[in-house]
């Protein structure tokens, strides 16, 4: 995918150059106006288009077709006092149209815990909504797309962790947040892409088990070499596994031949070869902030090695000119949620859309999340 240089699309609003992004999602069926006037819909469409700042992909016609839904979702949120959280990988009509907070998995789990509202709607994949329920069990947590999984989270079961513990008694088990509540319940501490290194460094002893991401695990093995043995599970993120060091090297060479000094920013779910080729490694939020910081300093030729939502966020949150080189990869699980699902879950959630976890699982899983908050703060 990264091998093909695609045509450059200049944006009318910002002057950004963006390569190869997926098309904006259209409503699944006829939406109707929900009683909003033409004037209200036009104003909302302009608000959306201005916030998203990609007027080619998110044309005024597309924004107009989505505007009645964002208006209605925002009205229902106020009426029902719902806090709507969206992960960075959700589409911009969600992140900039209806979300009260958008960030990476660490920040969002804290926001879910601390929000005063008693109902949280988590627009994202299942494990993130489950995490919100674990950290705030007394709240109602709505998850609009119950089938939205994650290759990391779905690739490991609680029994896998129990077997690892049996084979390695006494060795602390660290789980990436991309795991089910049942897996978290079997682990000693949870980590995210923004704190896995610092937390693992702080753990006592000279061995640890890391589940389920083999790429993040091998990054840990390298960083902790000589200090700790890291036993790694064999899972991977199907999105970040798409990127290879070879492809990035080729891009850097091509760009350099054209006098372009490419800065590569990667997510730690990528493999070691990719991270070796990268100038900066961080969580979705940290990558977004770094790209914006670089653009402000005039470093405009950037390559974001991660899911497409991060590029959407960078484009929306800077007015500085930048060229995003290469192509992102879309997470089919993250993109499962559309405005229609959010609207439906707000109006009349089905049983599957209300996160319901066993009390004992919540109690045990919350220990690994509490330990993360303690060690990260
Ligand atoms: P972040 O915590 O960096 O947002 O990562 C979550 C995730 O699923 C990345 O693929
Ligand atoms: Fe899971 Fe990868 Fe999608 Fe993140 S991007 S939700 S890790 S499959």
């Amino acid at each position: 995918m990264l091998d093909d240089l695609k045509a450059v699309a200049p944006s009318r609003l910002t002057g950004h150059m963006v390569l190869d992004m997926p098309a904006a999602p259209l409503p699944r069926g006829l939406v109707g106006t929900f009683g909003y006037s033409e004037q209200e819909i036009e104003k909302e469409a302009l608000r959306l288009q201005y916030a998203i700042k990609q007027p080619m992909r998110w044309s005024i016609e597309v924004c107009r077709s989505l505007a009645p839904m964002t208006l209605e979702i925002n009205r229902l949120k106020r009426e029902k006092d719902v806090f709507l959280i969206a992960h960075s990988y959700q589409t911009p009509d969600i992140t900039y149209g209806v979300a009260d907070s958008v960030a990476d998995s660490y920040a969002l789990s804290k926001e879910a815990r601390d929000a005063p509202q008693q109902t949280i709607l988590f627009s994202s994949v299942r494990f993130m909504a489950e995490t919100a329920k674990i950290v705030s069990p007394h709240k109602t947590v709505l998850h609009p797309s119950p089938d939205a999984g994650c290759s990391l989270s779905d690739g490991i079961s609680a029994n896998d962790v129990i077997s690892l513990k049996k084979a390695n008694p006494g060795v602390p088990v660290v789980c990436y947040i991309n795991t089910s509540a049942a897996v978290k319940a079997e682990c000693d501490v949870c980590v995210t892409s923004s704190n896995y290194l610092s937390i693992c460094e702080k753990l006592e002893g000279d061995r640890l088990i890391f589940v389920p991401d083999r790429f993040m695990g091998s990054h840990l093995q390298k960083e902790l070499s000589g200090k700790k043995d890291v036993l790694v599970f064999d899972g991977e993120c199907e999105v970040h596994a798409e990127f290879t060091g070879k492809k990035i090297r080729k891009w850097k060479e091509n760009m350099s031949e054209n006098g372009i000094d490419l800065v590569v920013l990667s997510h730690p779910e990528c493999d070691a070869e990719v991270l070796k080729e990268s100038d900066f490694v961080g969580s979705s939020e940290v990558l977004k902030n770094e790209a914006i910081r670089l653009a402000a300093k005039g470093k405009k030729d950037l390559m974001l090695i991660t899911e497409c939502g991060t590029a959407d966020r960078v484009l929306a949150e800077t007015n500085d000119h930048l060229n995003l080189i290469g192509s992102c990869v879309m997470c089919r699980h993250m993109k499962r949620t559309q405005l229609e699902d959010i609207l439906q879950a707000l109006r009349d959630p089905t049983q599957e859309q209300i996160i319901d976890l066993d009390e004992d699982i919540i109690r045990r899983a919350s220990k690994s999340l509490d330990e993360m908050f303690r060690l990260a703060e």
Side-chain angles (χ1 to χ4, degrees):
M1 188 174 305
L2 286 165
D3 284 333
D4 327 310
L5 267 163
K6 298 274 166 59
V8 177
S11 135
R12 289 198 299 254
L13 265 187
T14 60
H16 298 317
M17 310 277 255
V18 189
L19 293 184
D20 196 24
M21 301 270 282
L26 289 169
R28 289 193 189 114
L30 278 181
V31 169
T33 63
F34 301 112
Y36 294 101
S37 68
E38 236 177 77
Q39 222 182 4
E40 286 170 314
I41 291 173
E42 196 58 23
K43 194 171 157 206
E44 177 71 350
L46 287 168
R47 179 186 79 83
L48 289 175
Q49 205 193 27
Y50 187 76
I52 295 170
K53 290 210 198 102
Q54 297 180 60
M56 308 278 252
R57 287 175 63 229
W58 293 82
S59 67
I60 194 66
E61 291 77 22
V62 168
C63 292
R64 221 176 260 136
S65 70
L66 300 170
M69 272 189 293
T70 56
L71 282 168
E72 186 60 2
I73 289 169
N74 286 322
R75 187 192 70 74
L76 280 169
K77 254 175 33 186
R78 284 191 297 274
E79 182 187 289
K80 300 189 173 199
D81 196 24
V82 174
F83 188 55
L84 200 160
I85 299 180
H87 185 262
S88 287
Y89 296 169
Q90 299 292 278
T91 49
D93 50 339
I94 296 175
T95 50
Y96 296 100
V98 296
D100 298 306
S101 181
V102 187
D104 61 15
S105 46
Y106 180 71
L108 292 182
S109 46
K110 278 209 309 188
E111 299 232 4
R113 182 194 65 183
D114 300 338
Q117 290 88 345
Q118 291 307 297
T119 305
I120 310 273
L121 187 147
F122 210 137
S123 185
S124 183
V125 289
R126 190 77 182 175
F127 77 82
M128 290 196 193
E130 283 192 357
T131 304
K133 183 70 184 174
I134 298 166
V135 297
S136 48
H138 53 286
K139 295 179 190 167
T140 300
V141 177
L142 302 175
H143 182 231
S145 309
D147 297 337
C150 161
S151 64
L152 277 170
S153 167
D154 298 339
I156 185 165
S157 68
N159 279 337
D160 291 326
V161 183
I162 292 168
S163 305
L164 277 169
K165 290 199 291 191
K166 263 198 194 133
N168 302 275
V171 178
V173 186
V174 181
C175 62
Y176 189 33
I177 197 162
N178 296 38
T179 43
S180 66
V183 164
K184 287 186 179 79
E186 295 301 332
C187 298
D188 297 296
V189 59
C190 187
V191 295
T192 74
S193 56
S194 62
N195 58 33
Y196 66 103
L197 271 176
S198 64
I199 289 185
C200 288
E201 252 169 3
K202 284 181 193 165
L203 294 179
E204 280 179 18
D206 55 8
R207 294 183 76 198
L208 65 89
I209 298 168
F210 183 77
V211 300
D213 187 344
R214 68 187 176 99
F215 293 135
M216 200 175 273
S218 83
H219 194 215
L220 268 174
Q221 282 172 329
K222 187 172 152 255
E223 293 295 316
L224 299 180
S225 130
K227 290 185 229 156
K228 280 181 203 291
D229 275 347
V230 183
L231 195 85
V232 175
F233 193 74
D234 198 23
E236 65 178 35
C237 160
E238 65 188 43
V239 171
H240 291 90
E242 287 261 340
F243 301 101
T244 66
K246 191 171 155 218
K247 288 176 186 173
I248 293 165
R249 255 192 313 280
K250 204 170 146 203
W251 270 91
K252 281 166 67 173
E253 280 162 21
N254 285 347
M255 289 296 131
S256 153
E257 278 163 20
N258 289 296
I260 293 173
D261 181 19
L262 192 59
V263 181
V264 180
L265 301 100
S266 303
H267 194 278
E269 287 170 13
C270 295
D271 90 7
E273 278 287 295
V274 171
L275 301 188
K276 208 168 88 191
E277 294 299 328
S278 304
D279 301 286
F280 188 85
V281 177
S283 75
S284 57
E285 188 72 13
V286 171
L287 291 184
K288 185 239 353 167
N289 290 339
E290 179 64 6
I292 291 171
R293 192 188 69 81
L294 289 168
K297 279 178 58 189
K299 273 256 168 229
K300 59 181 173 44
D301 301 305
L302 309 179
M303 194 173 196
L304 282 170
I305 301 301
T306 187
E307 209 274 344
C308 300
T310 305
D312 284 323
R313 292 204 62 205
V314 173
L315 294 171
E317 293 183 24
T318 181
N319 287 320
D320 290 308
H321 172 74
L322 53 85
N323 298 329
L324 292 184
I325 312 274
S327 60
C328 51
V329 177
M330 209 172 78
C331 174
R332 66 196 165 105
H333 310 289
M334 283 281 185
K335 298 311 199 241
R336 226 182 160 105
T337 311
Q338 291 197 13
L339 290 171
E340 285 95 331
D341 307 302
I342 295 177
L343 182 57
Q344 187 270 316
L346 272 176
R347 276 176 162 171
D348 185 18
T350 62
Q351 210 53 48
E352 291 74 43
Q353 287 173 321
I354 303 171
I355 300 285
D356 183 20
L357 298 172
D358 183 89
E359 267 180 36
D360 183 54
I361 297 262
I362 292 188
R363 189 184 53 76
R364 292 188 293 128
S366 70
K367 283 190 189 159
S368 70
L369 284 159
D370 288 347
E371 189 61 357
M372 171 179 80
F373 292 129
R374 189 182 74 80
L375 290 171
E377 278 153 26

